[in-house]
Amino acid sequence: MTLPSFFQADHSAIEAALERLLPRESAPPQTIHRAMRYSVFAGGKRIRPILCLETARMFTENLEGAIQAGCALEFIHTYSLIHDDLPALDNDDLRRGKPTNHKVFGEAMAILAGDGLLTLAFETLANARIEPARRVRVVSEIAAAAGTINGMVGGQVADVEASGKPVDGSTLEYIHRSKTAALIRGSIVAGAISGGAPDADVERLRKFGDLIGWAFQVVDDILDVEESSAALGKTAGKDQEQQKATYPALYGLEKSRAIAADLESRALRELEPHRAGADRLRELAQFLVARRS
Ligand code: GRG
């Protein structure tokens, strides 16, 4: 797996913006700002902000608003990881290669750090340098992607309720498309809208985002079986231990790999009308499916 050539430059731009947008550790009350910064800067790949930025780049050269929206998406993603690791949910000790937030700061502060990041995300969006009518659409899209109706929290609820029970293919599909694909799709749609994409392009990119986000979670399930905790930066083999609803559990590894490849090619087909304009998104999509961590 090779990282797309532009990945590092995008990553650096996002890191610098995250640094500017997060309150300093010295801002009172210091503990929560230390806890928020600890998890944001624990070493994520920044896939959602990079998708947002690269989608916006298809339509504009003015990328400041998309970078800010991307940071908001990373704040939401990081809050979801902090809460997901809590004893009441996955009860995990390791995330992004480091002890989980509640292991360092305690459960109360980890809950509050997640709440703080979610709130900061919407403050960041409200102030983002995106033309006002587009900005409102971006806020609505991201809120829906993170929410309960076919969104991240709804998918997480279904995931929790499916744990330890036999699930069918359509429940598994709902969990993956809501828990994980929704925020990835939201990142792409937010980038398209902030960049001023025509509605037909936004809708095509929405389909691309759904398919590649779904493939991303199928790959995540496969990596949980195939890779080590050191490679993943989180506890490997956890899905099986917790009897989670996953593609390898329902279909086996080989069929799961074929499903991920099929979702990837269906996603790439959505980019065809954009020709060379979508080259970077194409490279990102291929990276998301080929990644090993
Ligand atoms: C509200 C109590 C409460 C909990 C919410 C919504 C939620 C908990 C959790 C979201 C579900 C979740 C964690 C899905 C997993 C998505 C996923 C594959 C995460 C890993 O993403 P990467 O690989 O991670 O982009 P990095 O660390 O690189 O950012």
Side-chain angles (χ1 to χ4, degrees), residues 161-276:
E161 290 181 343
S163 253
K165 296 184 194 139
V167 291
D168 57 24
S170 67
T171 306
L172 186 57
E173 178 182 324
Y174 170 80
I175 292 172
H176 282 44
R177 289 174 87 174
S178 307
K179 177 180 81 165
T180 304
L183 200 61
I184 290 180
R185 185 184 67 221
S187 307
I188 290 161
V189 170
I193 295 171
S194 68
D199 287 351
D201 289 347
V202 173
E203 291 320 307
R204 199 177 305 108
L205 288 161
R206 188 189 300 280
K207 283 190 201 139
F208 163 72
D210 176 43
L211 290 162
I212 206 63
W214 182 1
F216 181 86
Q217 183 60 52
V218 176
V219 169
D220 209 72
D221 290 355
I222 295 170
L223 294 178
D224 187 76
V225 179
E226 290 186 336
E227 290 292 339
S228 65
S229 300
L232 297 179
K234 62 179 181 178
T235 315
K238 201 76 201 257
D239 291 341
Q240 200 183 1
E241 185 195 310
Q242 295 190 330
Q243 294 183 286
K244 282 291 181 92
T246 68
Y247 275 74
L250 190 60
Y251 299 110
L253 275 172
E254 200 174 326
K255 185 155 181 217
S256 300
R257 284 190 208 103
I259 291 170
D262 177 59
L263 290 169
E264 179 191 11
S265 54
R266 283 166 59 196
L268 292 175
R269 234 174 284 145
E270 296 295 333
L271 297 181
E272 278 168 14
H274 297 279
R275 299 169 190 271

Side-chain angles (χ1 to χ4, degrees), residues 5 13 21 26 33-34 47 50 63-64 67 137 151 163 204-205 208 211 249 254 264 288-289:
S5 55
L21 288 164
S26 56
H33 299 132
R34 280 184 28 235
I47 279 161
I50 293 175
L63 296 167
E64 193 184 346
I67 291 177
R137 286 174 66 199
S163 253
R204 199 177 305 108
L205 288 161
F208 163 72
L211 290 162
E254 200 174 326
E264 179 191 11
L288 294 183
V289 177

Side-chain angles (χ1 to χ4, degrees), residues 112-124:
L112 292 167
D115 295 341
L117 286 168
L118 178 58
T119 309
L120 179 63
F122 285 97
E123 185 182 354
T124 301

Side-chain angles (χ1 to χ4, degrees), residues 45 48 77 80 83-84 96 156 179-180 216-217 220:
K45 295 183 284 295
R48 294 153 193 81
H77 169 58
S80 83
H83 282 188
D84 194 44
R96 293 178 160 173
Q156 182 71 0
K179 177 180 81 165
T180 304
F216 181 86
Q217 183 60 52
D220 209 72

Side-chain angles (χ1 to χ4, degrees), residues 91-105:
N91 191 20
D92 224 317
D93 297 348
L94 189 68
R95 174 68 72 176
R96 293 178 160 173
K98 294 195 168 156
T100 45
N101 197 289
H102 66 273
K103 286 280 161 193
V104 179
F105 296 95

